[in-house]
Amino acid sequence: MKRAAAEKVSAALAPASESRQAVARQAVLFAPGDLRLCDFTPPRPGPGEILLRVKCALSCGTDLKTYRRGHPMWRLPTPFGHEFAGVVVETGEGVAGFKAGDELMAAPTAPCEECFYCRRGQENLCPQAMEKMVMGGYADFLLLPAHVVARNAFRKPPALAFEEAALLEPLSCVVHAQALARPESVESVLIIGAGAFGLLHMLALRAAGVREVAVAGRGADRLRWAGQLGADRVIDIAAGDPAAEVARINGGFGPDLVIECTGQVEGWRDAFARVRRGGRVVFFGGCAAGTALEVDTRRMHYDNLTLIAPFHFRPRDVRRAYELLAEGRLGAGRIINARRPLAEIGAVFEMLERGTVLKCAVIP
Ligand SMILES: [Zn+2]
Ligand SMILES: [Zn+2]
């Protein structure tokens, strides 16, 4: 992927079209904590590819983790940022669905549709999804590869703001998880973790019409936002007796479904402990490598628990997430609570480190 990009840089020395700058900016993560804005030449799109002028990129918990300690799937240095929306500048040969000037939203990955997992409908596990992930959203321009253009790119509805459209990737993860968890209208759901993913889950559950959504988390700001965005019950994990409060859900039976969004083993343990007999647990937040969860076999079997650990998303989830955003019923844009220009990308990550922002829109 790196080499392909380098080849395109030389090909792009031809006179730039009026909407394509000869030199543009792109944020590159060189090492943990070392994020720099670099000059780069926007490449000419090859067959099936699209050159996008980025209108908005969103910060993501995965970015913050990678900024702190690197990422097992991505080699450094790497262009950075994977949640984005923008305007088509130029299309490569054979691109049928888009033309210059179209407003576009896309997931940063797409499966091959040919491998072992894809043939079994588990495209989320397709090796290509992670290996060929689009990176470089924090930039003026971004090249979308052919596999993403063909499978996971959409025309942005005019009424949808670019920053809300850029939520397509995280919302696809949420939709996938809820497709496996199948929440019912009579059910009470507990979400553990009041970060951006926890609140996206809450908004999606609200739209799906479950009976009650409780959000358990920590931090006065986050808990206040959870309430403002529509949580029926907000539980402060750091105060009082949160376990007793959760146990009162469903008239004392406990939550039907627990969705764990902290990515901490402690949260996974809590999720397993708090769900009602016969309930389901979704382990949504991935934990650090080398951690383990011990499961009480008596509880697992005699309480008839269902444990679900969804990873990533499938094209059908991306399509559903796109529909939810296009319908505008979620009001998902409300979780974006900071905006900064691309020139301040370094300061954005310092701000994210302080933990006061759910999602920050980075505007080129
Ligand atoms: Zn993300
Ligand atoms: Zn595949």
Side-chain angles (χ1 to χ4, degrees), residues 308-343:
I308 305 165
F311 168 69
H312 205 56
F313 47 76
R314 308 156 299 181
R316 76 196 95 154
D317 305 310
V318 182
R319 155 125 344 239
R320 182 66 193 131
Y322 164 75
E323 288 166 359
L324 285 169
L325 291 170
E327 288 163 12
R329 283 197 301 135
L330 257 48
R334 291 176 294 165
I335 69 161
I336 299 158
N337 63 349
R339 281 152 201 91
R340 292 288 185 280
L342 176 61

Side-chain angles (χ1 to χ4, degrees), residues 110-119 122-123 125-129:
C112 73
E113 293 183 339
E114 287 166 6
C115 73
F116 176 91
Y117 299 104
C118 283
R119 280 187 275 117
Q122 293 179 309
E123 301 97 325
L125 298 178
C126 176
Q128 171 177 294

Side-chain angles (χ1 to χ4, degrees), residues 281-293:
V281 178
V282 172
F283 298 112
F284 183 81
C287 298
T291 52
L293 177 74

Side-chain angles (χ1 to χ4, degrees), residues 4-13 40-44:
E7 280 159 11
K8 292 214 182 72
V9 168
S10 52
L13 293 175
F40 88 117
T41 308
R44 277 239 127 84

Side-chain angles (χ1 to χ4, degrees), residues 190 216 233 235-249 252 254-255 270 273-275:
L190 171 69
R233 202 190 282 248
I235 299 166
D236 188 345
I237 294 178
D241 187 350
E245 222 175 310
V246 169
R248 282 197 285 274
I249 293 173
D270 274 346
R274 302 292 161 241
V275 73

Side-chain angles (χ1 to χ4, degrees), residues 60 62 82-83 169-170:
C60 165
T62 307
H82 62 271
E83 300 178 8
E169 189 258 357

